[in-house]
Amino acid sequence: MISFSLLDALDILLAAVLIFYIYRLMKESGTLNVFFGLLSFIIVWVIASQILEMKLIGTILDKFMSIGLIIIVILFKDQIKRFLVELGDHKRWRALRRLFHHSRDGASSDVTKTFVFPIVYACMNMSKTRTGALIVIEQSVSLEAYERSGDRIDAVINSRLIENIFFKNSPLHDGAMIIAHDRIQSAGCILPVSHDTNIPRSLGLRHRSALGISQATDALAIVVSEETGYISVAHRGELTTRLSTSELEHRLAQLVPAD
């Protein structure tokens, strides 16, 4: 007779949560086919080696599993890093921290004014003049590797500076601007390009780069279209287009930490 305990239920629940997180991560990074391929391989491996106890094929699949895990870590190191960061994301523990820390709404309001408003104002002006721009805002995952691909700025966030960097005759206007630690760190940076086939063909390289960095990291990327002037935001593998300045302000305000 098969016994089923509470520990078995917990085991199944944890396995389901892990599979769901991996599925969501690969979906956001555009590698969903890889997820289904790996899942199919694991199912065959479990059936052959654990259930049917086929020794020869089980041994072969065991070798593939040990080597395959190393290959997966190498190929998807950025996605794995992002997965681990998301598990420990401070936003998920906000309710717990409120038990130990006092509210600091005033400080958050000050950060919002110095951090959000200059970006929104610059994007509004660039949208009116149809000046193409790509701004990436770092969150939990470091963007230092991408910062090194551009020119170091290290300046206070200022709307005029942002507009001047993306001015059509500026040598840095084609690359991405990276904002981290409440400062403009670099400009003219090179970002990974998304190869997601669901992206409309009307969207150009800036939008694909914004989606690419949002798939590789947890950063938020803002795009101002040079052709239409529309403002778009890419975050966690999703691209939202035609945002108003108030919607953009709301999205950016959500990035301001509440602690």
Side-chain angles (χ1 to χ4, degrees):
M1 184 177 178
I2 299 175
S3 61
F4 189 82
S5 64
L6 181 62
L7 187 61
D8 294 325
L10 180 61
D11 187 22
I12 294 173
L13 178 62
L14 292 176
V17 170
L18 179 62
I19 292 173
F20 170 75
Y21 264 96
I22 295 174
Y23 167 79
R24 193 187 72 173
L25 187 64
M26 288 194 164
K27 181 181 179 182
E28 291 177 355
S29 63
T31 56
L32 196 56
N33 291 334
V34 177
F35 170 80
F36 288 120
L38 290 173
L39 189 61
S40 301
F41 183 84
I42 292 173
I43 292 173
V44 172
W45 172 65
V46 170
I47 293 174
S49 63
Q50 305 296 324
I51 299 177
L52 300 179
E53 296 183 353
M54 302 169 70
K55 294 183 179 180
L56 180 59
I57 191 68
T59 302
I60 294 173
L61 292 177
D62 285 342
K63 297 296 182 182
F64 271 110
M65 283 295 294
S66 59
I67 298 173
L69 288 175
I70 298 174
I71 296 174
I72 289 172
V73 170
I74 295 173
L75 292 178
F76 298 101
K77 60 180 182 179
D78 291 334
Q79 285 83 358
I80 292 173
K81 180 180 179 181
R82 176 182 164 189
F83 170 68
L84 294 175
V85 167
E86 284 191 355
L87 286 180
D89 189 358
H90 68 276
K91 294 177 183 177
R92 301 179 188 275
W93 307 98
R94 229 176 244 173
L96 182 62
R97 285 204 320 276
R98 289 196 187 104
L99 298 175
F100 303 98
H101 297 279
H102 296 289
S103 174
R104 294 171 59 185
D105 294 336
S108 293
S109 178
D110 292 339
V111 174
T112 302
K113 292 178 181 179
T114 58
F115 175 81
V116 174
F117 293 168
I119 299 175
V120 173
Y121 188 73
C123 289
M124 180 183 68
N125 289 337
M126 291 187 293
S127 175
K128 291 178 180 178
T129 59
R130 295 191 178 183
T131 301
L134 174 53
I135 303 171
V136 181
I137 303 172
E138 178 186 285
Q139 295 196 70
S140 301
V141 178
S142 174
L143 300 177
E144 187 176 350
Y146 302 105
E147 291 175 17
R148 290 197 295 266
S149 67
D151 291 314
R152 185 75 172 167
I153 302 295
D154 192 20
V156 175
I157 300 174
N158 181 281
S159 59
R160 290 187 179 181
L161 177 58
I162 295 174
E163 292 178 51
N164 284 332
I165 287 175
F166 288 111
F167 182 68
K168 294 180 181 180
N169 293 331
S170 168
L172 300 176
H173 80 281
D174 275 336
M177 172 187 293
I178 295 180
I179 294 177
H181 310 296
D182 297 335
R183 293 180 69 84
I184 300 174
Q185 299 293 345
S186 298
C189 300
I190 301 172
L191 304 181
V193 179
S194 174
H195 298 286
D196 192 336
T197 56
N198 295 322
I199 302 176
R201 293 187 176 181
S202 58
L203 301 180
L205 184 60
R206 283 193 180 94
H207 291 84
R208 289 187 174 274
S209 297
L211 189 58
I213 194 66
S214 75
Q215 291 172 341
T217 70
D218 62 346
L220 182 141
I222 306 168
V223 181
V224 180
S225 173
E226 189 173 354
E227 287 75 23
T228 62
Y230 292 139
I231 299 173
S232 304
V233 166
H235 190 216
R236 299 190 183 277
E238 293 186 3
L239 182 65
T240 307
T241 59
R242 299 192 179 189
L243 290 176
S244 65
T245 51
S246 60
E247 290 172 329
L248 176 62
E249 181 181 341
H250 176 70
R251 292 291 295 271
L252 291 178
Q254 291 178 327
L255 300 182
V256 179
D259 55 343

